[in-house]
Amino acid sequence: MTTLRFHAVKASLKRTPLHIEETKRRSEVFGANVFNEAAMRQYLTKDALKSIMEAIEKGSKIDRFLADHISTAMKEWAISKGATHYTHWFQPLTGATAEKHDAFFETIGDGLAIEKFGGSQLVQQEPDASSFPHGGIRNTFEARGYTAWDPTSPAFIYGTTLCIPTVFVSYTGEALDYKTPLLRALHAVDKAAVAICKYFDKNVRKVSASLGWEQEYFLIDNALATSRPDLVLTGRTLLGHSPAKGQQLDDHYFGTIPARAMAYMRDLENECMLLGIPVKTRHNEVAPNQFELAPIYEEANLSVDHNSLLMDVMQKVAKRHDFKVLLHEKPFAGVNGSGKHNNWSLSTDTGINLLSPGKTPMSNLQFLTFFINTIKAVQTYEELLRAAIATASNDHRLGANEAPPAIMSVFIGAQLTKVLEELETVTRGKLSPQEKTDLKLNVVGKIPEILLDNTDRNRTSPFAFTGNKFEFRAVGSKANCANPMTVLNTIVAKQLIDFKEEVDVLIDEKSMKKDDAIFNVLREYIKTSKDILFEGNGYSTEWEKEAKKRGLSNNKTTPEALKVKVSKPAIALFETLGVMNQVEAQARYEIEMEAYILHIQIESRVIGDIARNHVVPTAVRYQNILIENVTGLKTIYGAKFKDFAQEQLTIIEEISKHIAAINSLVTKMIEARKDLNKLTDLDKKASGYCNVVKPFFEQIRYHCDKLELMIDDELWPLTKYRELLFTK
């Protein structure tokens, strides 16, 4: 292993940036491998194009005859691009994408063959896929799972395969993927938001949720990453002493992008352009060898698909550049982890961003309506929002090195806080003409002006308003965005429905004018949502105490956080809006809890293996060298040898103490794991892995990291932090 470490370092130092050709403008190649509207206009008849566009815009069904025509056109387009196979591309509950490739090729007898792809193959397939997580929804002997085409997300070619985005459901219709509940949640928020928009503009027919994610990641030389068993098997370093220099000088953030990383980024962006992923921003992040890329906003479903695709493309492109992409939320201790900020907003089919102030008091009242209702939704369902980003890996990131804490709160800045304070004083009941005029001119009307130079920012806020959108900053870097987006759009939809009911009661039963009713309901929401608003330092113990007083949850671990998903209010919420039924919600809970257990179990096995089979033998080897040195000094100096060997003797004793501690801790950890593995209760098992097994990690790490500082660098087997983080 020692040889492997130095071979890896030597190999990494010899790397040179790949030459990346960019012969065309990006606007010319954007979406070249996507069966988008431009491609459809070229290959489809007028009726087929109309049918698919109506399916995209209105959710209408596509006629079987037209489906055959669309599939034939899609096949001819794909073959013209060099495709030989097709696949239904879906997102099972593993966190990765899935695909099974079938050739267009079919025999027709007499030694002849044709390329064939029919409407039935486009619209639905039966991939079986019985080994994917299902949380008890289906038994293996009746494990049929179906993928069904999602026309709202265009097909694309990757390599030589036509990829058709699909949902994945069981034989009995339950969702087995991330996309299905997301589509249902987007439908719910569309319907609820349109009803509210009618108060302000009768012409609104559709409201779409938009998403712009910011993907953070680490780039590590592949040889260096491969030399670390923990990085290979868990995606993070379980051991490793912090280097003398980390991120404390802030010299990496927004600095000059290293040449190899730049070549990788250009290559990745070229692939993204062909696939229609509208990446726009790239830069160095805070930690050494950490970077970020971000796209232009898109409709949420398509944006989720693009992010899932991107994470796969990132790894494939990285191999060409001898890099390993680390998407784990906390691959290195002591430096920033990686998040995936989800920037969310709502937009109408009339071109209005509902979370952006407009030019008139009426448009600003519309903005306030959606702004305040979103805050109220987070206030009501903050625990569910926390559960949406709960994973074993994200637990390491939350509340450390600039990442948001596990306590959900909303940051809106000083200017908007002042606006809400003024609205809180609105008279109960009907407003006087003077008060209404004053509100519209001096409070609501001036919102664009006060936001014009709003530079407030709080990096520790998990949910922040940033000018024309809300930024959900607590989402983890390797998460599928569909999970938090499903929850966020669902809770906002429910809140908007409740809001409309309250406003309509005031209009119908209290004979209030529409504006008066809206102001009255918003005033009460401002009062009841105060507890979720927080402008200060999310890391402080003072905030923890204050949050507890306010009744906010502080579920620091995944087993704690996930329980709310199967609470009666959560299940009622999902069922009422048709996002998930009880079976689907329970299944997801079981899948996520099982995934947590397995992640901790794997990490436990890996750290035990590395500690006993790599660290301890190396420590013994170095100790033997010291013993040989002491023995030689005793031979030379006799009884006076301690005058010359005291430091060596001290180190020998210290090494023995650390070795004994490591072996004792690993033994106890293994025994704890064995006891927990006998449990059948999922909650108790997850809690045990969290509270009994996981604490051993830091204890074992402490002793291993101390040995790293003591043992001869030439002998140490594990590639060190300074090599992983500072080899460019």
Side-chain angles (χ1 to χ4, degrees):
M1 282 299 294
T2 307
T3 306
L4 177 59
R5 173 191 163 201
F6 287 106
H7 275 311
V9 172
K10 188 176 180 180
S12 68
L13 293 174
K14 289 182 177 180
R15 312 278 197 214
T16 56
L18 292 184
H19 177 68
I20 306 300
E21 289 283 348
E22 290 185 74
T23 56
K24 293 183 178 181
R25 293 184 179 187
R26 295 192 170 189
S27 58
E28 294 175 341
V29 298
F30 181 72
N33 288 346
V34 180
F35 196 60
N36 51 25
E37 187 174 345
M40 288 190 288
R41 288 188 182 281
Q42 186 177 352
Y43 281 86
L44 295 178
T45 63
K46 187 177 180 180
D47 287 343
L49 178 62
K50 181 182 178 183
S51 177
I52 197 169
M53 294 308 292
E54 286 182 348
I56 293 170
E57 294 169 6
K58 301 177 183 178
S60 56
K61 291 187 177 182
I62 296 174
D63 179 83
R64 179 58 184 269
F65 171 76
L66 290 176
D68 283 332
H69 174 66
I70 293 167
S71 63
T72 301
M74 197 181 287
K75 176 200 70 178
E76 292 304 316
W77 169 81
I79 290 174
S80 74
K81 294 280 186 179
T84 58
H85 289 68
Y86 65 92
T87 182
H88 274 200
W89 182 82
F90 57 101
Q91 299 168 49
L93 298 171
T94 56
T97 57
E99 51 197 66
K100 182 187 80 170
H101 297 192
D102 286 301
F104 291 123
F105 169 87
E106 277 196 22
T107 58
I108 56 174
D110 297 325
L112 301 175
I114 59 171
E115 275 83 23
K116 186 178 179 182
F117 180 56
S120 59
Q121 293 163 310
L122 166 65
V123 173
Q124 181 176 301
Q125 277 195 318
E126 185 186 334
D128 178 24
S130 56
S131 294
F132 285 120
H134 53 76
I137 286 180
R138 54 191 184 144
N139 297 309
T140 303
F141 61 84
E142 49 186 22
R144 279 183 292 177
Y146 295 95
T147 50
W149 177 35
D150 171 21
T152 64
S153 185
F156 57 91
I157 295 169
Y158 192 52
T160 58
T161 305
L162 171 66
C163 300
I164 303 157
T166 59
V167 298
F168 179 43
V169 296
S170 70
Y171 175 66
T172 49
E174 286 89 5
L176 296 170
D177 64 345
Y178 284 111
K179 180 185 276 280
T180 304
L182 174 65
L183 290 173
R184 295 169 181 167
L186 293 174
H187 173 71
V189 80
D190 170 23
K191 185 178 178 182
V194 166
I196 302 300
C197 286
K198 296 291 186 183
Y199 287 141
F200 306 97
D201 183 356
K202 300 291 185 184
N203 296 316
V204 174
R205 295 288 180 271
K206 183 175 178 60
V207 171
S208 300
S210 62
L211 169 64
W213 36 262
E214 302 169 31
Q215 182 70 60
E216 295 177 341
Y217 62 99
F218 282 84
L219 273 182
I220 305 298
D221 184 88
N222 193 54
L224 297 177
T226 306
S227 72
R228 292 282 308 224
D230 46 2
L231 273 180
V232 171
L233 295 174
T234 72
R236 76 180 182 105
T237 53
L238 299 170
L239 304 173
H241 199 282
S242 297
K245 179 180 183 293
Q247 66 184 47
Q248 62 265 49
L249 297 179
D250 295 324
D251 51 346
H252 187 259
Y253 189 50
F254 278 27
T256 303
I257 299 172
R260 280 184 65 200
M262 177 62 83
Y264 166 77
M265 290 177 178
R266 290 177 63 195
D267 198 3
L268 175 63
E269 288 167 2
N270 287 345
E271 293 283 357
C272 288
M273 288 300 105
L274 294 171
L275 293 167
I277 305 173
V279 292
K280 184 176 177 67
T281 302
R282 65 189 183 202
H283 63 83
N284 289 2
E285 255 301 331
V286 177
N289 277 350
Q290 186 187 33
F291 306 94
E292 180 182 301
L293 82 160
I296 296 169
Y297 289 56
E298 297 179 284
E299 186 277 325
N301 177 46
L302 179 58
S303 186
V304 167
D305 280 1
H306 277 164
N307 184 250
S308 297
L309 175 60
L310 173 89
M311 290 190 285
D312 186 45
V313 175
M314 288 174 79
Q315 299 288 5
K316 290 178 180 177
V317 173
K319 290 180 181 179
R320 298 201 287 259
H321 295 258
D322 291 305
F323 275 130
K324 174 71 175 176
V325 174
L326 303 183
L327 292 174
H328 193 287
E329 284 81 359
K330 196 72 172 177
F332 302 102
V335 298
N336 274 23
S338 297
K340 177 152 49 195
H341 303 173
N342 277 208
N343 294 280
W344 170 89
S345 190
L346 295 170
S347 300
T348 69
D349 56 350
T350 57
I352 301 299
N353 178 351
L354 295 171
L355 288 173
S356 181
K359 296 179 180 179
T360 66
M362 184 56 72
S363 63
N364 290 330
L365 181 56
Q366 179 175 260
F367 155 73
L368 280 173
T369 297
F370 284 91
F371 174 72
I372 294 170
N373 271 283
T374 301
I375 295 172
K376 181 69 166 64
V378 176
Q379 162 72 26
T380 306
Y381 298 103
E382 47 90 13
E383 205 167 2
L384 191 57
L385 206 58
R386 163 67 179 100
I389 47 95
T391 63
S393 53
N394 206 24
D395 281 357
H396 294 288
R397 166 180 166 260
L398 294 177
N401 300 101
E402 293 190 357
I407 304 167
M408 293 294 107
S409 64
V410 179
F411 173 83
I412 62 173
Q415 293 93 335
L416 282 171
T417 299
K418 188 176 180 181
V419 170
L420 296 193
E421 287 172 352
E422 293 194 42
L423 287 174
E424 193 179 346
T425 64
V426 169
T427 303
R428 182 182 295 275
K430 296 179 181 180
L431 279 67
S432 68
Q434 184 177 349
E435 184 179 15
K436 190 181 294 187
T437 301
D438 185 59
L439 276 172
K440 288 185 176 180
L441 291 179
N442 297 321
V443 181
V444 178
K446 291 186 177 180
I447 288 175
E449 296 172 28
I450 66 169
L451 285 180
L452 192 63
D453 195 30
N454 181 11
T455 55
D456 286 355
R457 185 147 175 91
N458 186 336
R459 298 181 68 86
T460 68
S461 175
F463 200 85
F465 184 71
T466 54
N468 60 359
K469 61 191 182 299
F470 279 99
E471 183 179 19
F472 192 10
R473 302 185 69 250
V475 181
S477 53
K478 71 175 184 178
N480 186 312
C481 297
N483 210 1
M485 283 297 102
T486 297
V487 170
L488 179 56
N489 284 288
T490 300
I491 65 175
V492 171
K494 180 63 169 67
Q495 179 53 48
L496 292 174
I497 291 169
D498 292 346
F499 172 76
K500 187 173 190 306
E501 288 179 358
E502 292 185 52
V503 170
D504 287 349
V505 165
L506 293 180
I507 294 172
D508 297 337
E509 297 181 12
K510 303 292 185 179
S511 301
M512 280 191 193
K513 290 185 177 180
K514 178 185 64 180
D515 291 359
D516 292 355
I518 290 173
F519 274 124
N520 269 263
V521 177
L522 291 181
R523 179 198 61 232
E524 295 307 309
Y525 285 176
I526 292 168
K527 291 179 180 178
T528 56
S529 300
K530 276 185 175 182
D531 286 342
I532 202 70
L533 298 178
F534 179 63
E535 309 289 307
N537 180 5
Y539 302 147
S540 66
T541 53
E542 289 76 13
W543 169 231
E544 281 203 26
K545 293 175 184 176
E546 175 63 23
K548 188 175 182 180
K549 287 180 183 177
R550 296 185 186 189
L552 300 179
S553 66
N554 186 11
N555 297 324
K556 293 184 178 181
T557 68
T558 291
E560 286 180 283
L562 288 179
K563 289 178 182 178
V564 72
K565 282 196 167 185
V566 286
S567 65
K568 288 182 179 179
I571 290 174
L573 168 72
F574 289 127
E575 286 191 323
T576 299
L577 294 180
V579 174
M580 284 186 283
N581 59 33
Q582 184 169 356
V583 172
E584 291 168 324
Q586 183 69 39
R588 275 161 174 71
Y589 171 73
E590 292 181 11
I591 289 167
E592 290 172 12
M593 288 288 268
E594 184 69 28
Y596 179 85
I597 292 168
L598 293 174
H599 275 99
I600 304 300
Q601 186 183 80
I602 291 167
E603 288 189 348
S604 172
R605 289 172 174 170
V606 171
I607 197 171
D609 169 58
I610 296 175
R612 278 188 165 167
N613 296 319
H614 296 71
V615 174
V616 168
T618 304
V620 171
R621 185 179 171 191
Y622 183 56
Q623 195 178 47
N624 287 337
I625 293 173
L626 293 175
I627 291 170
E628 186 178 342
N629 175 260
V630 171
T631 303
L633 289 172
K634 189 173 183 180
T635 300
I636 296 171
Y637 295 105
K640 292 184 178 181
F641 83 97
K642 286 189 178 181
D643 294 342
F644 305 97
Q646 190 56 55
E647 292 301 321
Q648 294 92 316
L649 289 169
T650 300
I651 295 173
I652 289 169
E653 290 176 15
E654 287 296 316
I655 289 174
S656 291
K657 289 177 183 177
H658 289 305
I659 289 173
I662 290 169
N663 278 323
S664 174
L665 288 166
V666 170
T667 298
K668 290 177 181 177
M669 180 178 68
I670 291 171
E671 291 304 314
R673 206 168 62 217
K674 287 179 179 178
D675 290 340
L676 290 169
N677 289 343
K678 296 173 186 176
L679 298 178
T680 56
D681 186 296
L682 198 64
D683 291 0
K684 291 180 180 178
K685 193 172 182 179
S687 179
Y689 265 96
C690 177
N691 300 313
V692 180
V693 173
K694 188 179 171 185
F696 281 111
F697 295 2
E698 283 304 310
Q699 298 173 50
I700 294 168
R701 179 176 193 148
Y702 170 81
H703 294 286
C704 291
D705 289 357
K706 286 295 183 183
L707 287 173
E708 181 183 331
L709 290 179
M710 299 170 68
I711 292 172
D712 183 353
D713 184 61
E714 292 288 324
L715 298 179
W716 192 253
L718 301 172
T719 303
K720 295 189 174 184
Y721 266 34
R722 67 168 185 261
E723 295 151 351
L724 292 166
L725 290 172
F726 291 98
T727 304
K728 304 297 181 185

